[in-house]
Amino acid sequence: MKFTLSWLKDHLETDATLDEIVERLTSIGLEVEHVDDKSSLKPFVIARVLTAVQHPDADRLRVLTVDTGDGKPPVQVVCGAPNARAGLIGAFAAPGTYVPGIDVTLTVGKIRGVESHGMMCSERELELSDEHNGIIDLPEDAPVGTSFAAYAHIDDPVIEINLTPNRPDATSVYGIARDLAASGLGRLVGGAIMPHVGNGMCPIKVTIEAPELCPGFALNLVKGVKNGASPKWLQQRLIAIGLRPISALVDITNYVTFDRGRPLHVFDASKVAGNLVVRRARDGEKVQALDGREYTLTPEMCVIADDNGVESIAGVMGGEHSGCDENTSDVLIESALWDPITTARTGRTLGIITDARYRFERGVDPEFMVPGVELATKLVLDFCGGTPTEMEVVGYAGHTPKIVSFPLSEVKRLTGIEVPSAKSLDILSRLGFKPEGSGDVVDVAVPSWRPDVDGKADLVEEVMRIHGVDNIAPQPLGAHDAVNAKILTTLQVRTRTAKRALAVRGMMEAVTWSFIPAKHAELFGGGQTALKLANPIAADMSDMRPSLLPGLIAAAQRNADKGIGDVALFEVSGTYEGDGADQQRRVAAGVRRGTAKLDGSGRNWAGNSGPVGVFDAKADAIAALEACGAPVDRLQIEAGGPAWYHPGRSGTIKLGPKTVLGTFGEFHPKTLEGLDVSGPLCGFEVFVDGVPEPKAKPTKTKPKLELSPFQAVKRDFAFVVDKSVEAGTLVRAALAADKKLITAVSVFDIFEGASLGEGKKSIAIEVSIQPVEKTLTDEDFEALAKRIIENVGKQTGGVLRG
C-alpha cells in the first residue's frame, strides 16, 4: 500500500515529522517497508542559461552564464551537454550541493583552465531516470529561482507499508490516518461526505439474481459529463503510487479506491443495453476485459450483465465494451459488495490481479458502499460537470455489528502488561469500537470496517498495538533446573533413534506425500474408512495415507525406472486411519528392492547376492523396534500379515497376544500389480507409538554388568517337530531350561524330508552357555542338555533327532 505524505495529511491534521510518522506506523502494526523521500533534491533550483560559448580549450565543452533567479549576478558554469544553449531553462546545483546521481558534493573548480561555479543537471544526476544525453530542458514558463523539486512535484515523500491480509481497513489512506489519529499522532479530518441532490430517478435498474454473491449494489447516473484529463494534483498522486493516469472518470475510481478503500467501476451508459443484472456466469461465457484479454467464465464466478451479455467480472475487472473513453457523455457509477471468497477464487482462476480484487477479497466496509458513490459523484461533477440522478440501491439491508464479549483482564493475561481498564476502553473507542456496559466484562460492538475482528484476543491485539508493544519489558529466559534436563518427548526421541538405526543398516531416508490416490489407499487397508480430502490439490492425491508403504514403493520404482534398481528406503512419519487423534499413528517403515541387502552393495564374496526377501524385512523391523526401546527378547513373531503382503512370506510382530508392534514381509503380487511396480520388493512397518513407555522410575535392584572369568561353551541340538511348530516357540523353550546359564539360542538350520516322516521338520539350534560360578563338568553339561531336551519336548512335542 503506497501513499504520499501530503495525501495522508488530507485526512490527518498533525505536526509530526516524516520520521515520527514512519516510526509510529511501524509501532502500531503497519510496517513501513520503504520511504521514497526526495528531500536531497531541495537545494536544486530552476535556472536560465543566458549565454553559451565554446570552451577555449575543449571542443565538447561550453561556458555558460546562468541566471539562478536569486537577484545576484549570473554565475559561470562549464557544461558538456550537447543541448546546452542560450535560453534553456533547467535544474541548477550550486557549489556545496550534493548530487545523488554521481555521489559528489560540488565545489568551485577549474575545468580546462576555466572556473565552474556549479552545474546544470541531467535526469540521471538527480536520479529521476537513466536519461543522461543532455541536461534537463524545462518549458519556457518554468519559474526561475524556485525549487525544482517543488515544481516537478517530487518533494512529496512516498510511504509504502507492508500490509498483512487481516487489515482490510488499512488498504486506504483514510484508514491509515484513522489508526495514526487513534495512536495520538494527530486528529482525523475529511471524513464527512454530503449526499448529492439528484434530478429524477436512475433510468437503469439493477436486479440481483445471486444475493449470496452480491449482498448490495448501488448505482448512479451522471448525464452530460465531459471526460477529459483529470486535475494535475490527482494525476501526480496516482503517478506517485505507481498508477498511470487515464482519464478523469477512470482516475476518480482509482483515487477513491486508494483514498477510501472503496473500489468502484464506471460504465459508459450509452453502451449499456437495457437494465443490469448481477448473476452467476454461464459455463463457457466469455468477456473482453479492460486489459484487452478475453476470459472464459464458469458458473462459480459472479458477473454484471446487460441485454448484450457480460459487462464486468464482479469485483475483479470491468469489461472493455462498456468502458469509458473521451466520447463518454453519460456515466454510470457502480459501487457494490462482493463475496470475498468468490472474488478471490475468480481472480486466482483467471489469473487477474487488480487493486479492486485485492480489497474485495479481504473485505471492504459495507457501510461505505453508498458514500463511495456519493464521493465519486461529487468528484465527477467537480472535474467533468454533468447532472446526477437519484441513486439506485438494491439488496443492501444495512450492517449488523458483531458484538464481542471482552473481559478486560484478558489484556494482562495474554500480554503480561498491566493496561488500566479505562485506557483499554479509550483505545478501542478511538479506533471506532463501541464498548457498552461496565464492570470487568464489557460488550464491544465491532465497526463495519473491521471484518477481521472476531474474538477477545483480537481486541487485546488492538489495545496492545496502540498502547505500544515497545512497552513490554524484556524478560530473561528462565534457567533450566539441570543442564541435562529432558527436552524431547519420548516419541521425538524414538523417531530420531529409529531413523539412525535404519540409516546404519544402509537405508536412505525418504520424505513422501501424505496424500495418495484412492486405489492405493484401498490396497493398504484404507477402504471405506479412508480419510478423504475435501479439496485435494490433485486428483491422484485424494486420500490421506493409511500406510507409509505406498509412497516408499512408488519412490523405489521411480529409482528403478532411472536405472537404480537396488535401493533401500525408509521413512518415519505419520499415517492416518481416520480424523480422530487416536487414529493417527507414528510409524517407521522401509522397503528394499532388487538385491539391496544390508551392506547395500548388491554383491557377496561367494557371488552376486540373491534378491531381498522376508528375512531382510524382518531384520529391519526388529532393528527399528530395538532402537525404539522395545523388549526384543520378549517379542513374538506370528506367520502371516496384512493382505498387502505375501501370505506365506510375511509376519506380524507382537508383544503379548494383543499388542501388535509391526508387520513385515514380501509384497503380494496383486499389490505390486495394483501399484504398477515390479519386484522383488520387501518391506516393513513398525508402530513407534505402540512401544510401551519406559518405566518412570528404575527398579530397586539394578542390573549389574559383570564379565565371567569362565570360558563360554556352545552346544548344538536338532529336534524333530511337527511342521506347525514355530521356530520361535522352540527357541523360547530352550532358553527357559536354565535362564542363569543359557545366554542365547539361535536357529541355524531347518530341514524337511521324507526321512523325518510326513508332517515333520527338523529345527537345529545353537545354545550359548556361559558359566558364572564355576567351570562346568561333563556331568553338568549332560544335566543341562537333559533339561533342554525335556523342556523342548514338553512345550513343542519335539524329540531329539537321531
Side-chain angles (χ1 to χ4, degrees), residues 502-587:
L502 294 173
V504 167
R505 294 183 60 79
M507 307 184 81
M508 299 182 66
E509 185 176 7
V511 179
T512 64
W513 287 99
S514 298
F515 321 125
I516 61 175
K519 64 177 183 179
H520 292 184
E522 292 174 2
L523 287 173
F524 286 83
Q528 299 297 325
T529 63
L531 188 59
K532 295 188 176 295
L533 299 175
N535 186 24
I537 60 177
D540 58 350
M541 292 184 174
S542 59
D543 291 43
M544 299 297 289
R545 61 186 178 196
S547 167
L548 298 180
L549 292 174
L552 291 173
I553 294 173
Q557 184 62 39
R558 285 194 295 272
N559 280 272
D561 294 340
K562 295 181 179 181
I564 308 174
D566 301 328
V567 64
L569 304 174
F570 79 89
E571 182 174 8
V572 184
S573 189
T575 61
Y576 309 87
E577 299 172 4
D579 56 0
D582 58 339
Q583 294 175 298
Q584 301 179 18
R585 307 205 64 176
R586 175 66 54 148
V587 177

Side-chain angles (χ1 to χ4, degrees), residues 661-680:
L661 294 185
T663 59
F664 62 88
E666 300 174 24
F667 293 105
H668 199 290
K670 289 186 177 180
T671 302
L672 300 182
E673 182 181 355
L675 296 174
D676 194 22
V677 300
S678 58

Side-chain angles (χ1 to χ4, degrees), residues 726-736 742 744-747 763 765 792 796:
E726 297 178 348
T729 305
L730 191 146
V731 169
R732 288 191 292 272
L735 278 169
I742 301 175
V745 177
S746 60
V747 177
I763 301 177
I765 61 174
V792 170
T796 67

Side-chain angles (χ1 to χ4, degrees), residues 212-273:
E212 70 280 7
L213 305 183
C214 177
F217 196 103
L219 188 70
N220 193 30
L221 174 66
V222 182
K223 301 178 181 179
V225 302
K226 185 177 181 181
N227 187 23
S230 58
K232 196 69 176 178
W233 67 265
L234 178 53
Q235 294 186 38
Q236 289 165 355
R237 286 189 174 177
L238 296 180
I239 292 172
I241 63 174
L243 296 181
R244 178 175 61 90
I246 298 174
S247 67
L249 293 177
V250 176
D251 292 351
I252 287 170
T253 62
N254 287 331
Y255 176 76
V256 176
T257 296
F258 279 84
D259 187 66
R260 296 303 185 97
R262 160 38 68 180
L264 304 171
H265 184 62
V266 287
F267 299 89
D268 188 327
S270 64
K271 300 175 183 178
V272 175

